[in-house]
Amino acid sequence: MSTHVKKPGWFTVNVLNRLVAWLTRRGLSVWGSRVLAVRGRKSGQWRTTPVNLMTLDGARYLVAPRGHVQWTHNMRAAGGGELHLGKNVEVFTATEVADDDKPPLLRAYLKRWKAEVGVFFDGVGPGSSDEELRRIASDHPVFRITVTN
């Protein structure tokens, strides 16, 4: 597993993420946004971050465009979490997707959110070959989520 991480810039952390989280907490989804809550693997405390929830062929996925970040490590340890949209809370379990199965998921994710997150994919986009998508697959964790409540 790669330790590839692309840290968001000041504007993303202090303005964009906060604005999307604020709107999402009030029930306004911005292009599929949710607030992800997952228990910290060390502290056990709930940690939250805005995420893009992708639905493809009836299944739901969380993709980590910035790589192996804190929420992905916590998700592996916790095995699931909660997705918040306003007062609606979905409790879910998560299964990590194998790298070989990621190309169609990464392609669909980039089709929808490339303008927002494309810079984190090393020049790979929705029109890239499966080979190019496989090359970056290990840098971008993907979790299939199953709602349990």
Side-chain angles (χ1 to χ4, degrees), residues 36 38 62 70-81 92 94 143:
L36 169 66
V38 63
L62 294 175
Q70 293 303 316
W71 75 259
T72 63
H73 298 299
N74 291 337
M75 183 79 75
R76 286 184 192 106
F92 67 89
F143 296 89

Side-chain angles (χ1 to χ4, degrees), residues 54 56-57 99-109 130 133:
M54 180 177 73
L56 184 65
D57 299 329
D99 289 347
D100 285 343
D101 297 330
K102 289 180 188 176
L105 302 173
L106 293 173
R107 179 174 285 111
Y109 187 84
D130 282 357
L133 289 161

Side-chain angles (χ1 to χ4, degrees), residues 43-110:
S43 70
Q45 299 296 311
W46 285 101
R47 304 294 183 199
T48 61
T49 191
V51 294
N52 293 321
L53 177 63
M54 180 177 73
T55 301
L56 184 65
D57 299 329
R60 298 168 87 197
Y61 300 91
L62 294 175
V63 176
R66 291 180 182 88
H68 298 271
V69 293
Q70 293 303 316
W71 75 259
T72 63
H73 298 299
N74 291 337
M75 183 79 75
R76 286 184 192 106
E82 298 176 350
L83 289 174
H84 296 248
L85 178 59
K87 294 180 181 185
N88 183 38
V89 177
E90 294 179 308
V91 178
F92 67 89
T93 58
T95 305
E96 193 158 4
V97 175
D99 289 347
D100 285 343
D101 297 330
K102 289 180 188 176
L105 302 173
L106 293 173
R107 179 174 285 111
Y109 187 84
L110 286 164

Side-chain angles (χ1 to χ4, degrees), residues 4-9 12-13 16-17 64-67 69 109-110 113-124 136 139-140:
H4 181 79
V5 174
K6 296 218 177 183
K7 297 206 183 252
T12 299
V13 170
L16 204 54
N17 281 358
R66 291 180 182 88
V69 293
Y109 187 84
L110 286 164
W113 289 289
K114 184 174 191 254
E116 181 182 336
V117 300
V119 67
F120 303 114
F121 285 85
D122 296 325
V124 174
I136 63 156
D139 294 334
H140 302 282

Side-chain angles (χ1 to χ4, degrees), residues 20-30 33-35 84-88:
V20 169
W22 185 85
L23 290 168
T24 303
R25 281 194 294 273
R26 281 150 186 82
L28 298 170
S29 177
V30 181
S33 66
R34 300 290 188 278
V35 173
H84 296 248
L85 178 59
K87 294 180 181 185
N88 183 38

